[in-house]
Amino acid sequence: MAIKEKQLFQTMFLLATFIVCVIEISNAQIQRVSDDEWEMVEKKGNQFIIGDWPFYVNGFNTYWLMIFAVDPSTRAKVTDVFQQASSAGLTVCRTWAFNDGGWRALQKSPSSYDEQVFQGLDFVINEAKKYKIRLILSLVNNWEAYGGKSQYVRWGKQAGLNLTSEDDFFSDPIIKGYYKAHVKNILTRVNTYNNVTYKDDPTIFAWELMNEPRCLADPSGDILQAWIEEMAYHVKFIDRKHLLGIGVEGFYGSSTQERLLTNPNTYASKVGTDFIRNHLALGIDFASAHIYPDSWLSSTVSDSYLQFVESWMEAHIEDAEKVLGMPIVFGEFGISSKDLKFNLTFRDEFIDRVYKTMLNSTRKGGSGGGSLIWQLFPEGTDYMDDGYAVVLSKSPKTCDIVSLQSWRLQNFNSRCSWRCHWGCRKRGHQDVFDYNGEL
Ligand SMILES: *[C@@H]1O[C@H](CO)[C@@H](O)[C@H](O)[C@H]1NC(C)=O
Ligand SMILES: *[C@@H]1O[C@H](CO)[C@@H](O)[C@H](O)[C@H]1NC(C)=O
Ligand SMILES: *[C@@H]1O[C@H](CO)[C@@H](O)[C@H](O)[C@H]1NC(C)=O
Ligand SMILES: *[C@@H]1O[C@H](CO)[C@@H](O)[C@H](O)[C@H]1NC(C)=O
């Protein structure tokens, strides 16, 4: 009798909790639909969240948006990209918040900006919001395109500094000062389209210190590590609200000898970066890695590319989960049509493999936070194609694959709220969030 009563009580208790949770879910969903508020993305443990909701990312890169936004004759292309991306369900775009020196420079010389170009960036941010797309804004380039670290070093030389290598970017105090000033100028910019200061704008998903930093001058990685630590502190000092990533390609370094074989080649561990050590820097909120079998592996298009995708992603997701305790975003992945054996079918297979490997983590509530295709172009910008451009309107099959991934992630994002962990498990979603009610 006593046992039966206890069982009955338990059943009723479970039922009551279930009902409360269902109500909570529907309230939250109603709120979500009717709530016009555009909230900041945050991270909780190894996941991204918006309010109480998980936020898994299907995203894309289009690096030149600011430049196209400057000129009224090309500005419509910015809108086109956002429109097409949003209709394929993409929610995050990674783009450049820099153009140092040269044609249509944002920063003409240290801390001297072209107001028209800055208004181009304002436009991009304001326009992204209209399509409910958030931005990862990268703050400088490792490479020469759009200025990059070598432009900073040239400015230093012009100012009379005795600099010998472009990697002095990472160590010279004056050059570091130029970069810090740029960071501050961007983060404190007031958008001329909406009067929102960048550092308060939820349209910005995250800041990224640099696109693909490498410091060949110091294979030990100490110099780059010190730079990351200093700059992460600097960004967080100005802006505590936004998430911060580094932008590294994700090569393993000497801090994890056992992982070196995961690297695509032996050179990768000698470029001064170290996936684990770099991301342990204070202030870094999420991990990043890129996926380029075509330029990293010596073979041409083949199954080895797909195998690489899986082992590379799985290793990084596992490390993000178990070692770093943060989400990971695969900030760039792509395959170039310049590869002799390239064809669209293979590209689709490649994209699909990235997505499925991501979903394997998402299903388990793992660290795989999202992936961003390199790169989405609207029609009529083909002349800028470096071989990696994906034009959704011209590749219906690819568009289907991208949309399906967006739809799947959207399901995870709206299935259950963080407040309602028990109810979600109870309703058969234990494969999504299995954290036993512990946040
Ligand atoms: C510039 O720096 C290099 C290496 O640090 C040094 O060898 C050289 O003497 C310096 N030149 C001047 C003019 O200070
Ligand atoms: C921004 O603020 C200025 C000064 O308060 C005001 O004149 C202007 O109308 C505002 N612009 C927008 C787009 O809200
Ligand atoms: C596309 O490329 C892959 C890998 O090289 C190859 O196996 C496949 O046969 C190609 N398909 C077409 C339709 O050319
Ligand atoms: C996903 O996980 C399943 C089960 O662990 C595995 O069989 C499959 O190969 C994985 N797929 C990818 C693309 O990683």
Side-chain angles (χ1 to χ4, degrees), residues 10-134:
Q10 272 178 347
T11 313
M12 285 176 60
F13 177 76
L14 290 177
L15 193 65
T17 323
F18 179 74
I19 291 170
V20 168
C21 270
V22 170
I23 291 170
E24 227 182 308
I25 284 183
S26 34
N27 276 348
Q29 268 168 357
I30 289 164
Q31 210 180 20
R32 194 177 207 207
V33 173
S34 63
D35 195 352
D36 237 357
E37 220 184 308
W38 181 234
E39 288 177 83
M40 207 60 99
V41 179
E42 296 170 294
K43 112 186 156 129
K44 204 167 198 171
N46 59 14
Q47 273 142 343
F48 295 116
I49 56 166
I50 300 178
D52 286 329
W53 299 83
F55 185 59
Y56 290 101
V57 174
N58 197 21
F60 64 103
N61 286 270
T62 308
Y63 65 87
W64 44 254
L65 295 175
M66 173 179 73
I67 301 304
F68 268 56
V70 178
D71 186 339
S73 74
T74 50
R75 189 172 296 162
K77 292 292 172 202
V78 176
T79 309
D80 283 358
V81 185
F82 287 147
Q83 202 162 33
Q84 286 168 17
S86 128
S87 54
L90 298 166
T91 54
V92 172
C93 168
R94 181 171 170 270
T95 194
W96 297 168
F98 60 81
N99 187 15
D100 300 305
W103 180 73
R104 228 171 248 181
L106 170 64
Q107 193 175 202
K108 293 180 289 185
S109 57
S111 279
S112 163
Y113 292 85
D114 183 323
E115 176 58 24
Q116 250 191 313
V117 181
F118 230 145
Q119 286 180 17
L121 189 55
D122 292 345
F123 175 83
V124 170
I125 298 171
N126 191 60
E127 196 72 357
K129 184 183 175 187
K130 291 185 191 162
Y131 293 92
K132 297 278 176 266
I133 285 173
R134 287 181 165 81

Side-chain angles (χ1 to χ4, degrees), residues 145-364:
Y146 284 50
K149 65 184 178 187
S150 56
Q151 178 60 59
Y152 274 79
V153 168
R154 271 199 296 282
W155 283 331
K157 284 181 179 164
Q158 283 159 15
L161 301 177
N162 177 19
L163 304 172
T164 49
S165 146
E166 58 176 22
D167 283 343
D168 289 335
F169 172 84
F170 297 110
S171 53
D172 183 86
I174 305 224
I175 304 285
K176 286 195 287 185
Y178 292 166
Y179 173 78
K180 281 185 181 174
H182 175 63
V183 168
K184 187 170 183 198
N185 293 328
I186 294 282
L187 272 53
T188 56
R189 165 81 176 179
V190 178
N191 192 316
T192 50
Y193 284 83
N194 53 34
N195 279 347
V196 179
T197 306
Y198 284 12
K199 70 189 176 74
D200 299 321
D201 194 339
T203 308
I204 295 162
F205 174 96
W207 304 112
E208 185 178 276
L209 291 180
M210 187 175 207
N211 175 48
E212 300 187 334
R214 289 185 183 185
C215 183
L216 295 176
D218 174 32
S220 82
D222 291 347
I223 289 181
L224 182 61
Q225 183 66 19
W227 185 84
I228 291 169
E229 286 168 8
E230 184 175 348
M231 298 315 164
Y233 180 86
H234 179 67
V235 169
K236 288 290 175 172
F237 187 75
I238 300 168
D239 176 0
R240 281 168 199 283
K241 291 183 199 156
H242 281 106
L243 298 172
L244 177 64
I246 304 172
V248 283
E249 293 151 288
F251 302 131
Y252 287 99
S254 54
S255 77
T256 46
Q257 292 291 334
E258 69 283 3
R259 279 294 197 202
L260 294 184
L261 283 175
T262 310
N263 280 340
N265 52 53
T266 50
Y267 177 69
S269 64
K270 301 185 175 74
V271 297
T273 70
D274 184 325
F275 178 72
I276 298 293
R277 184 185 181 203
N278 293 161
H279 287 106
L280 287 172
L282 201 65
I284 301 301
D285 298 300
F286 65 95
S288 95
H290 295 176
I291 312 173
Y292 284 113
D294 62 353
S295 61
W296 293 348
L297 301 176
S298 51
S299 56
T300 53
V301 161
S302 66
D303 282 351
S304 66
Y305 281 24
L306 305 178
Q307 284 150 18
F308 174 78
V309 164
E310 263 183 51
S311 57
W312 181 247
M313 289 181 76
E314 280 167 3
H316 284 82
I317 290 171
E318 186 183 316
D319 287 338
E321 217 161 287
K322 295 185 180 153
V323 183
L324 301 171
M326 52 174 61
I328 177 164
V329 171
F330 293 91
E332 292 185 18
F333 69 92
I335 185 165
S336 171
S337 60
K338 289 180 180 158
D339 193 302
L340 290 175
K341 287 199 202 152
F342 175 93
N343 62 47
L344 285 175
T345 318
F346 188 80
R347 184 174 76 184
D348 287 345
E349 237 181 290
F350 170 78
I351 296 172
D352 194 53
R353 193 65 65 97
V354 171
Y355 285 166
K356 290 218 169 104
T357 312
M358 178 60 55
L359 283 174
N360 264 2
S361 165
T362 311
R363 267 191 211 104
K364 294 183 285 204

Side-chain angles (χ1 to χ4, degrees), residues 406-434:
S406 304
W407 179 80
R408 283 180 169 146
L409 292 183
Q410 187 51 42
N411 264 347
F412 286 113
N413 290 348
S414 60
R415 246 174 175 180
C416 65
S417 115
W418 281 84
R419 275 175 299 170
C420 198
H421 27 95
W422 187 83
C424 290
R425 283 196 293 137
K426 213 50 200 167
R427 301 175 90 209
H429 298 155
Q430 70 273 25
D431 57 337
V432 187
F433 296 109
D434 193 13

